[in-house]
Amino acid sequence: MVVEKNAPLQPWNTFGIVARAQTFVRVRSVADLHAVLADPELAPAPKWVLGGGSNIILTGDVKPVVLKMEIKGLRLVQETDRAWIVEAGAGEVWHDAVAWTLAQGFPGLENLALIPGTVGASPVQNIGAYGVELQDRFASLDAIDLATGQSFSLDAAQCGFGYRDSVFKHAPSESTDGSSMPRGMGLAGRAVITHVRFRLPKPWKPVLGYLDLERRRIEAGVDQPTAQQIFDWVCDIRRAKLPDPAVLGNAGSFFKNPTVTPEQCTDIIARDPKIVHYPMPDGSIKLAAGWLIDACGWKGKSVGKAGVYEKQALVLVNRGHGQDSVTGGEVMTLAKAIQTSVYERFGIRLEPEPVVW
Ligand code: EPU
């Protein structure tokens, strides 16, 4: 294991915020984790798990021991008539893992191409895009309990997946009303994911319902696209709409898409007939947070060095550079101003998607 003191975190968060970790440990194997838990100085200290840093806002230096997950490895663990089961190390870059599965002839993750971050972070927030969520392709994961050092595995039901949600986002004592997770099941700060297994169903079927993808399919004049074509279209769509964190710091969608009751929606439609809304299977209505923010006039605006991306109002960006980057405080000031104006106009409270440290 490699331990660094007072390590800069700017290279490790896609927003590009300047912050430091008092203690930064690169974890390249399960043995490294056991070494941390056996170390007299590191073992008793609070820990903070860092993957690709694509879903965090740092509002200060990080005092807990940062465990930078770098466990690698991609392999087919099982093939049956009904599925390929593929395992990936938590430290694999998500997009590279998706590309690898396709290159090996195991389709199923193509709609999730180009999502920033690592494999280990993918179940934490149940990543999703273009009609597919991680939970639709998830088999199981391995993790280590940071308190006891014991390994354990979880299946999909035990992960308590919800919209951008899982047991890994909740504190152990927290009850999550409306989710499938019983009180006491939260694993935030308690477990570290080391490997994830995906179940890629056979025969492969394209998922095309999403408007942007349908448009691409019609333009290409293709009835039955291949997984590779869908992968390429998703990459194109994302590149056109979402800023590349290597060029412009950001953390993807900054707010979750809110849900409202049909009555609330009818009320809003009466005032704003153009509002983008999608009926959900449970009878609720999902609203596009990007549309709400856009409607409040925020697209392209900035507060200090925190900005609202000009092509997608749901993405907040870093308008600073290098050491003169945006601060986490500035980002949260902009986020609060957006929340206030959306609440004042629509009566809806937007909930941030990234983890705010
Ligand atoms: N819209 C606007 N103005 C904007 C942005 C969006 O009017 O500035 C409208 C669009 O025209 C569209 C609707 O809002 O009708 C939805 O926009 P989009 O298709 O871009 O998707 P989204 O709901 O904003 C979600 C996910 C993305 C995911 C895409 C594609 C969340 C919070 N975000 O965005 O996930 O890539 O759908 O499936 O659920 C992420 O989580 O970081 C992320 C990027």
Side-chain angles (χ1 to χ4, degrees), residues 130 163-164 210 238 241 253 257 294 299 312-313 353:
Y130 308 103
Y163 168 57
R164 297 293 191 277
Y210 202 90
R238 290 189 77 95
K241 262 194 185 176
S253 298
N257 284 330
D294 198 356
K299 204 185 245 179
Q312 223 302 8
E353 211 229 289

Side-chain angles (χ1 to χ4, degrees), residues 201-223:
K202 284 184 183 176
W204 172 78
K205 285 196 214 81
V207 178
L208 288 166
Y210 202 90
L211 195 66
D212 282 348
L213 274 181
E214 264 311 300
R215 226 178 258 145
R216 295 301 300 254
R217 187 186 65 74
I218 291 161
E219 269 167 32
V222 180
D223 262 354

Side-chain angles (χ1 to χ4, degrees), residues 17-206:
I17 293 170
V18 176
R20 287 187 172 266
Q22 282 185 358
T23 311
F24 183 86
V25 185
R26 289 167 185 269
V27 174
R28 295 189 172 141
S29 63
V30 172
D32 277 352
L33 270 178
H34 287 302
V36 169
L37 298 179
D39 184 280
E41 189 196 333
L42 300 176
K47 320 250 177 346
W48 195 66
V49 179
L50 178 62
S54 59
N55 206 42
I56 51 167
I57 306 300
L58 296 169
T59 58
D61 289 344
V62 180
K63 292 194 181 78
V65 172
V66 174
L67 301 177
K68 171 76 172 52
M69 296 308 292
E70 296 185 350
I71 298 175
K72 299 284 185 181
L74 291 162
R75 64 187 182 113
L76 179 70
V77 287
Q78 198 190 349
E79 181 172 0
T80 67
D81 292 347
R82 309 189 54 182
W84 296 277
I85 310 289
V86 171
E87 182 181 88
E92 289 287 347
V93 171
W94 171 262
H95 178 72
D96 295 349
V98 173
W100 181 87
T101 55
L102 282 181
Q104 303 296 311
F106 316 138
L109 296 177
E110 54 284 345
N111 291 53
L112 303 177
L114 221 57
I115 294 183
T118 52
V119 163
S122 65
V124 176
Q125 53 154 352
N126 186 21
I127 58 172
Y130 308 103
V132 176
E133 280 184 318
L134 181 88
Q135 64 177 344
D136 306 323
R137 301 285 181 268
F138 180 86
S140 59
L141 59 78
D142 297 334
I144 289 194
D145 184 325
L146 287 170
T148 64
Q150 275 181 341
S151 304
F152 61 95
S153 299
L154 296 182
D155 62 20
Q158 291 166 315
C159 286
F161 289 127
Y163 168 57
R164 297 293 191 277
D165 199 22
S166 76
V167 284
F168 299 99
K169 275 193 143 180
H170 296 270
S173 57
E174 206 178 318
S175 124
T176 53
D177 289 341
S179 98
S180 55
M181 187 177 26
R183 181 185 280 271
M185 268 300 287
L187 291 174
R190 168 131 173 235
V192 46
I193 297 166
T194 58
H195 295 90
V196 181
R197 283 172 292 278
F198 307 101
R199 184 180 184 281
L200 310 175
K202 284 184 183 176
W204 172 78
K205 285 196 214 81

Side-chain angles (χ1 to χ4, degrees), residues 335-355:
K336 288 204 175 83
I338 291 171
Q339 283 170 313
T340 303
S341 57
V342 168
Y343 184 72
E344 281 173 357
R345 170 143 175 210
F346 298 102
I348 291 166
R349 292 187 197 280
L350 291 181
E351 196 189 321
E353 211 229 289
V355 174

